[in-house]
mmCIF file of all heavy atoms in Angstrom:
data_model
loop_
_atom_site.group_PDB
_atom_site.id
_atom_site.type_symbol
_atom_site.label_atom_id
_atom_site.label_comp_id
_atom_site.label_asym_id
_atom_site.label_seq_id
_atom_site.Cartn_x
_atom_site.Cartn_y
_atom_site.Cartn_z
ATOM 1 N N ARG B 87 63.857 16.901 -2.802
ATOM 2 C CA ARG B 87 64.380 17.377 -4.079
ATOM 3 C C ARG B 87 65.881 17.746 -4.064
ATOM 4 O O ARG B 87 66.589 17.356 -4.984
ATOM 5 C CB ARG B 87 63.418 18.505 -4.562
ATOM 6 C CG ARG B 87 63.746 19.038 -5.929
ATOM 7 C CD ARG B 87 63.018 20.357 -6.202
ATOM 8 N NE ARG B 87 63.430 21.422 -5.248
ATOM 9 C CZ ARG B 87 62.692 22.306 -4.775
ATOM 10 N NH1 ARG B 87 61.416 22.385 -5.042
ATOM 11 N NH2 ARG B 87 63.127 23.290 -4.050
ATOM 12 N N ASP B 88 66.265 18.519 -3.119
ATOM 13 C CA ASP B 88 67.571 19.157 -3.157
ATOM 14 C C ASP B 88 68.630 18.336 -2.391
ATOM 15 O O ASP B 88 69.757 18.524 -2.530
ATOM 16 C CB ASP B 88 67.541 20.495 -2.427
ATOM 17 C CG ASP B 88 66.665 21.491 -3.283
ATOM 18 O OD1 ASP B 88 66.373 21.259 -4.420
ATOM 19 O OD2 ASP B 88 66.316 22.548 -2.697
ATOM 20 N N VAL B 89 68.236 17.514 -1.491
ATOM 21 C CA VAL B 89 69.185 16.669 -0.634
ATOM 22 C C VAL B 89 69.097 15.156 -0.948
ATOM 23 O O VAL B 89 70.037 14.558 -1.334
ATOM 24 C CB VAL B 89 68.947 17.042 0.843
ATOM 25 C CG1 VAL B 89 70.160 16.466 1.572
ATOM 26 C CG2 VAL B 89 69.099 18.540 0.984
ATOM 27 N N ILE B 90 67.951 14.630 -0.524
ATOM 28 C CA ILE B 90 67.931 13.172 -0.629
ATOM 29 C C ILE B 90 68.101 12.594 -2.023
ATOM 30 O O ILE B 90 68.949 11.706 -2.183
ATOM 31 C CB ILE B 90 66.478 12.625 -0.150
ATOM 32 C CG1 ILE B 90 66.260 13.022 1.294
ATOM 33 C CG2 ILE B 90 66.344 11.219 -0.274
ATOM 34 C CD1 ILE B 90 64.856 12.743 1.897
ATOM 35 N N GLY B 91 67.429 13.160 -3.001
ATOM 36 C CA GLY B 91 67.668 12.758 -4.359
ATOM 37 C C GLY B 91 69.114 12.938 -4.808
ATOM 38 O O GLY B 91 69.776 11.917 -5.218
ATOM 39 N N PRO B 92 69.582 14.086 -4.999
ATOM 40 C CA PRO B 92 70.979 14.361 -5.424
ATOM 41 C C PRO B 92 72.116 13.617 -4.744
ATOM 42 O O PRO B 92 72.996 13.128 -5.313
ATOM 43 C CB PRO B 92 71.172 15.952 -5.438
ATOM 44 C CG PRO B 92 69.825 16.355 -5.214
ATOM 45 C CD PRO B 92 68.999 15.366 -4.638
ATOM 46 N N LEU B 93 71.944 13.484 -3.376
ATOM 47 C CA LEU B 93 72.997 12.812 -2.603
ATOM 48 C C LEU B 93 72.702 11.216 -2.509
ATOM 49 O O LEU B 93 73.683 10.472 -2.052
ATOM 50 C CB LEU B 93 73.000 13.388 -1.254
ATOM 51 C CG LEU B 93 74.017 14.543 -1.019
ATOM 52 C CD1 LEU B 93 73.589 15.605 -2.012
ATOM 53 C CD2 LEU B 93 73.798 15.155 0.363
ATOM 54 N N GLY B 94 71.495 10.793 -3.020
ATOM 55 C CA GLY B 94 71.342 9.314 -2.890
ATOM 56 C C GLY B 94 71.248 8.865 -1.424
ATOM 57 O O GLY B 94 71.457 7.701 -1.178
ATOM 58 N N LEU B 95 70.601 9.702 -0.578
ATOM 59 C CA LEU B 95 70.390 9.309 0.819
ATOM 60 C C LEU B 95 69.215 8.310 0.912
ATOM 61 O O LEU B 95 68.348 8.255 -0.001
ATOM 62 C CB LEU B 95 70.248 10.521 1.775
ATOM 63 C CG LEU B 95 71.320 11.497 1.688
ATOM 64 C CD1 LEU B 95 71.066 12.666 2.668
ATOM 65 C CD2 LEU B 95 72.641 10.831 2.039
ATOM 66 N N THR B 96 69.076 7.611 2.019
ATOM 67 C CA THR B 96 67.874 6.709 2.171
ATOM 68 C C THR B 96 66.728 7.524 2.758
ATOM 69 O O THR B 96 66.820 8.021 3.823
ATOM 70 C CB THR B 96 68.293 5.617 3.171
ATOM 71 O OG1 THR B 96 69.620 5.002 2.776
ATOM 72 C CG2 THR B 96 67.374 4.557 3.384
ATOM 73 N N PRO B 97 65.600 7.697 1.966
ATOM 74 C CA PRO B 97 64.477 8.552 2.346
ATOM 75 C C PRO B 97 63.996 8.313 3.855
ATOM 76 O O PRO B 97 63.761 9.341 4.518
ATOM 77 C CB PRO B 97 63.519 8.284 1.296
ATOM 78 C CG PRO B 97 64.220 7.775 0.185
ATOM 79 C CD PRO B 97 65.364 6.991 0.687
ATOM 80 N N ASN B 98 63.815 7.170 4.229
ATOM 81 C CA ASN B 98 63.247 6.945 5.516
ATOM 82 C C ASN B 98 64.223 7.218 6.708
ATOM 83 O O ASN B 98 63.820 7.140 7.861
ATOM 84 C CB ASN B 98 62.511 5.643 5.675
ATOM 85 C CG ASN B 98 63.503 4.418 5.668
ATOM 86 O OD1 ASN B 98 64.683 4.650 5.669
ATOM 87 N ND2 ASN B 98 62.895 3.198 5.555
ATOM 88 N N GLN B 99 65.446 7.529 6.333
ATOM 89 C CA GLN B 99 66.379 7.896 7.430
ATOM 90 C C GLN B 99 66.527 9.472 7.573
ATOM 91 O O GLN B 99 67.351 9.938 8.280
ATOM 92 C CB GLN B 99 67.723 7.253 7.251
ATOM 93 C CG GLN B 99 67.679 5.752 7.398
ATOM 94 C CD GLN B 99 68.936 5.037 7.022
ATOM 95 O OE1 GLN B 99 68.942 3.827 6.963
ATOM 96 N NE2 GLN B 99 70.000 5.736 6.597
ATOM 97 N N ILE B 100 65.732 10.104 6.726
ATOM 98 C CA ILE B 100 65.793 11.641 6.732
ATOM 99 C C ILE B 100 64.500 12.227 7.298
ATOM 100 O O ILE B 100 63.444 11.945 6.692
ATOM 101 C CB ILE B 100 66.148 12.182 5.330
ATOM 102 C CG1 ILE B 100 67.343 11.523 4.692
ATOM 103 C CG2 ILE B 100 66.266 13.739 5.443
ATOM 104 C CD1 ILE B 100 68.618 11.512 5.432
ATOM 105 N N GLN B 101 64.601 12.792 8.466
ATOM 106 C CA GLN B 101 63.390 13.259 9.042
ATOM 107 C C GLN B 101 63.209 14.837 8.909
ATOM 108 O O GLN B 101 64.191 15.550 8.811
ATOM 109 C CB GLN B 101 63.252 12.838 10.500
ATOM 110 C CG GLN B 101 63.401 11.330 10.742
ATOM 111 C CD GLN B 101 62.915 10.924 12.092
ATOM 112 O OE1 GLN B 101 61.985 11.482 12.699
ATOM 113 N NE2 GLN B 101 63.590 9.962 12.614
ATOM 114 N N VAL B 102 61.981 15.195 8.842
ATOM 115 C CA VAL B 102 61.642 16.639 8.792
ATOM 116 C C VAL B 102 60.637 16.864 9.867
ATOM 117 O O VAL B 102 59.685 16.023 9.980
ATOM 118 C CB VAL B 102 61.050 17.072 7.353
ATOM 119 C CG1 VAL B 102 60.699 18.440 7.391
ATOM 120 C CG2 VAL B 102 62.044 16.629 6.338
ATOM 121 N N PRO B 103 60.571 17.967 10.607
ATOM 122 C CA PRO B 103 59.524 18.164 11.594
ATOM 123 C C PRO B 103 58.107 18.112 10.951
ATOM 124 O O PRO B 103 57.980 18.487 9.675
ATOM 125 C CB PRO B 103 59.908 19.517 12.174
ATOM 126 C CG PRO B 103 61.337 19.782 11.913
ATOM 127 C CD PRO B 103 61.504 19.057 10.575
ATOM 128 N N ASN B 104 57.198 17.590 11.701
ATOM 129 C CA ASN B 104 55.828 17.448 11.095
ATOM 130 C C ASN B 104 55.008 18.725 11.284
ATOM 131 O O ASN B 104 54.713 18.937 12.489
ATOM 132 C CB ASN B 104 55.281 16.124 11.617
ATOM 133 C CG ASN B 104 53.988 15.846 11.142
ATOM 134 O OD1 ASN B 104 53.404 16.626 10.312
ATOM 135 N ND2 ASN B 104 53.451 14.688 11.271
#
Side-chain angles (χ1 to χ4, degrees):
R87 184 189 64 215
D88 295 345
V89 186
I90 297 175
L93 270 54
L95 302 181
T96 306
N98 66 10
Q99 289 172 190
I100 310 300
Q101 301 199 37
V102 179
N104 186 347

